[in-house]
Amino acid sequence: MNRLALLLAGSAVLAVATITPASASTASAGEVDTVTSCGNSGLQSGLSTRLCAEVTGTTVEFYGTVGLAGPPSPGGPGPAPKELITTLSTEVVGSGAAPTQQIAHVLFTSANLQVRGSAATVPCGSTVRATFGVASFPWAPRPVAHEVVITC
């Protein structure tokens, strides 16, 4: 009878150990989660674009995404590669500092791509606004915008 009780107790401990998530025991108090938010999508140069922000504590990094605006034609060749000129501008609202601007030339084939800006640390309570523009001859950019408030 002792063997049976020992076996049942061991099985119960094993069952509880497999149900308890590992993160519950390994989380430390100093970790800060990254929160990602995205603005509305827009059409630029015949492509779907969107601007997103990753906020970790008081550090924010914006990135723009570019993808097909719809599914490619079935049975047809994929879309022709496009040379894109992307502009990612970021500013801390009310700081008086000039917006930072990054311009990149990228080649879009048909796979989604990201254009990342540089990360910046800003004071608590700041509002950070960014715009993402995509141009390709003969289309001018029609930038999408997104802003986040840094809460602490």
Side-chain angles (χ1 to χ4, degrees):
M1 191 96 113
N2 283 341
R3 282 187 184 192
L4 183 57
L6 185 60
L7 182 61
L8 288 174
S11 297
V13 168
L14 184 58
V16 169
T18 58
I19 293 173
T20 305
S23 61
S25 61
T26 59
S28 70
E31 291 181 16
V32 177
D33 290 332
T34 298
V35 177
T36 302
S37 64
C38 297
N40 294 327
S41 61
L43 290 175
Q44 298 183 70
S45 299
L47 300 169
S48 176
T49 60
R50 177 173 271 181
L51 183 59
C52 299
E54 292 179 344
V55 179
T56 307
T58 59
T59 302
V60 62
E61 180 180 14
F62 283 92
Y63 64 92
T65 62
V66 179
L68 292 175
S73 300
K82 287 185 179 187
E83 184 177 348
L84 305 176
I85 300 169
T86 62
T87 306
L88 183 59
S89 299
T90 309
E91 69 173 320
V92 178
V93 177
S95 71
T100 60
Q101 189 172 49
Q102 296 178 318
I103 299 174
H105 295 266
V106 295
L107 185 63
F108 178 80
T109 52
S110 62
N112 292 344
L113 61 90
Q114 284 187 3
V115 177
R116 296 190 85 79
S118 56
T121 301
V122 296
C124 290
S126 298
T127 299
V128 185
R129 179 181 302 137
T131 59
F132 178 59
V134 176
S136 177
F137 182 80
W139 294 295
R142 296 179 61 208
V144 292
H146 185 53
E147 67 180 37
V148 293
V149 176
I150 307 304
T151 57
C152 297

